Amino acid sequence: MHQPDHVNSYALATEILTVDPADPQPEIIRRAAAVIASGGLVAFPTETVYGLGADATRGEAVAAIYAAKGRPPTNPLIVHVASAEDAQRVAADWPAVAQQLCERFWPGPLTLVLQRSEAIPAIVAGGGLTVAVRAPAHPVAQALIRACGVPIAAPSANRSNRVSPTRAEHVLKHLSGRIHLVLDGGPTPGGIESTVLDVTCIPPRLLRPGPIAPKDLEPIVGKVDTRPSRILGLPSSATQADVALPSPGMLPRHYAPRMPLRIAPGTGRRQVVRLVGQGMKVGWLPFHPYASVPGVITLPMPKDPAAYASLLYAALHTMEDAEVDAIVVAAPPETEEWLGVRDRLLRAASPPGDDGA
Ligand code: TXA
Ligand code: MG
């Protein structure tokens, strides 16, 4: 029914190297850096999700990222650096607020959108004048960036518009045969992608909610503009190619599993029972306590938003692999600390066709 992931795969033999996530082996990092230096693609763990890395200063290496992911060329990539000093080399302007945010949140899951310097080719930025930058906190990502000695362009290591990877297996499911190397550092701790904040405007604008909430940012930046991007209001005839996207993460459908996902009030049990009654194979993500439904693949989720985020994508991958017909998710609370999780769930629940692609 669904197109398998290996259709259209390239002929590359994807190498997999297991790496110690706390203390990465230097010889493995050197091997990965050599692949990057030759213009190749390396998937590696960060504290959020796995990234698909290439040398951000080389246009042809970055073009290979877009090709491997099947990503539209207008969707810009995040540039990963080791420090605030390195970030200043990829940015044409370094506002005081950027310095303050780095001092407070880097290394960590905060991406800053800045004016792009000429060190970074336009293809990284989807043709735009800005660049998104972050310094990841994961030891493997840090070691790799340092060993490469160049900024690393890395989107999430999934096929475009599909569920992001939090384990090496998820990367291989989408990209085996399309990339040169995967560094398997086990499950990523964070689970949803970094917060993206545009600091080229006043007030700074939240482009993608993530692990760092607006209330964490506001002591430093003042009021954050959290209005949805105008992209959400685009007429359905507009395509990604028509506009320079302020943030492709703002497209309604993104991070989506291959089957319909419904966000249900309460435990979601009523929906589950109804779909089972229609003969469907159902996957269910309730909170505790819940009353089980026979024959349903059930993954109870934690009530803490960070713990929930760390398991969400793995749960969606599990449901995909089980080939359920539909996924029912108990609606999370509507508080700010759940903003990142709710954003990902709403996008996953958005019907196909909403992505303008
Ligand atoms: O946690 C993360 O950020 C992960 C890991 C690998 O670091 N990366 C990630 O990359 O999520 P990706 O390509 O899947 O998402 C990049 C997001 C886009 O959706 C967009 O929101 C934003 O970063 N972005 C990148 N460049 C931008 C730019 N120049 N202007 C505005 N937004 C940009
Ligand atoms: Mg992504």
Side-chain angles (χ1 to χ4, degrees), residues 54-321:
D55 182 343
T57 66
R58 284 166 61 178
E60 76 285 1
V62 173
I65 295 180
Y66 285 95
K69 279 183 62 94
R71 181 167 174 128
T74 44
N75 275 15
L77 310 179
I78 295 175
V79 172
H80 294 67
V81 294
S83 64
E85 291 73 55
D86 291 351
Q88 288 172 59
R89 282 187 207 110
V90 306
D93 184 33
W94 188 250
V97 75
Q99 181 63 35
Q100 289 159 359
L101 287 166
C102 293
E103 284 169 14
R104 171 70 182 80
F105 294 108
W106 281 10
L110 177 66
T111 296
L112 299 178
V113 172
L114 296 153
Q115 299 298 335
R116 176 169 58 85
S117 89
E118 281 176 7
I120 299 298
I123 185 173
V124 174
L129 297 174
T130 57
V131 64
V133 191
R134 85 175 186 104
H138 197 291
V140 172
Q142 291 182 344
L144 179 64
I145 296 163
R146 290 217 169 84
C148 290
V150 290
I152 302 294
S156 51
N158 51 286
R159 294 277 289 164
S160 186
N161 287 336
R162 298 281 305 282
V163 179
S164 291
T166 54
R167 297 170 188 210
E169 305 89 90
H170 303 158
V171 176
L172 291 166
K173 177 170 140 184
H174 287 183
L175 298 175
S176 182
R178 293 178 162 263
I179 64 178
H180 300 90
L181 174 63
V182 180
L183 294 180
D184 181 353
T188 61
I192 61 169
E193 300 87 344
S194 61
T195 302
V196 179
L197 186 73
D198 185 348
V199 292
T200 65
C201 46
I202 298 171
R205 185 169 184 199
L206 186 70
L207 296 182
R208 180 174 71 183
I212 297 174
K215 71 166 174 14
D216 305 323
L217 300 167
E218 284 177 347
I220 294 173
V221 303
K223 189 77 196 135
V224 172
D225 182 355
T226 56
R227 283 174 304 169
S229 159
R230 67 189 161 85
I231 292 298
L232 287 175
L234 278 179
S236 56
S237 59
T239 68
Q240 295 188 17
D242 290 337
V243 282
L245 299 174
S247 196
M250 301 302 278
L251 288 165
R253 185 172 169 85
H254 205 75
Y255 321 106
R258 293 196 296 194
M259 49 286 297
L261 180 148
R262 298 158 194 227
I263 303 170
T267 62
R269 190 173 190 277
R270 195 184 293 259
Q271 280 248 23
V272 169
V273 168
R274 196 166 53 76
L275 295 175
V276 169
Q278 292 169 8
M280 284 195 181
K281 182 174 180 185
V282 179
W284 185 21
L285 272 53
F287 290 101
H288 281 290
Y290 67 95
S292 62
V293 182
V296 169
I297 300 179
T298 306
L299 297 174
M301 299 296 283
K303 280 196 171 129
D304 170 69
Y308 191 109
S310 77
L311 296 177
L312 174 61
Y313 289 150
L316 297 181
H317 278 288
T318 299
M319 295 305 180
E320 275 195 346
D321 297 347

